[in-house]
């Protein structure tokens, strides 16, 4: 049974909701005036650690910092 319901435009454009929300957040951050812009940009950074496992034991963790644009 086909549905005639409207499809969200982000899905019609072929992107995920996460991609769409990240684009919107970027646009909002770029519209802010200083000092609010620099504060918002600093919160955008993502830091995480991951460990590879070998022979049932975790190896030394690697810390990554992914910042958009780098």
């Amino acid at each position: 049974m086909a549905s005639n319901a409207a499809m969200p435009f982000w899905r019609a454009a072929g992107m995920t909701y996460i991609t769409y929300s990240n684009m919107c957040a970027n646009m909002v951050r770029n519209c802010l005036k200083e000092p609010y812009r620099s504060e918002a940009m600093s919160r955008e950074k993502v830091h995480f650690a991951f460990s590879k496992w070998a022979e049932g034991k975790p190896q030394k963790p690697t810390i990554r910092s992914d910042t958009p644009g780098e």
Side-chain angles (χ1 to χ4, degrees):
M1 179 175 183
S3 174
N4 291 334
M7 179 184 294
F9 65 90
W10 51 267
R11 188 173 308 224
M15 63 176 74
T16 65
Y17 183 75
I18 297 296
T19 305
Y20 164 72
S21 64
N22 283 338
M23 287 175 59
C24 291
N26 251 351
M27 284 187 252
V28 170
R29 283 186 210 105
N30 289 333
C31 292
L32 294 172
K33 292 181 180 180
E34 288 298 337
Y36 306 110
R37 179 184 296 182
S38 57
E39 289 176 23
M41 293 296 204
S42 69
R43 288 190 302 264
E44 182 182 23
K45 297 176 184 166
V46 177
H47 304 284
F48 60 95
F50 66 94
S51 298
K52 292 186 179 185
W53 287 68
E55 300 176 5
K57 296 182 180 179
Q59 303 297 310
K60 183 178 178 184
T62 304
I63 298 175
R64 298 241 356 220
S65 176
D66 287 351
T67 306
E70 287 185 2

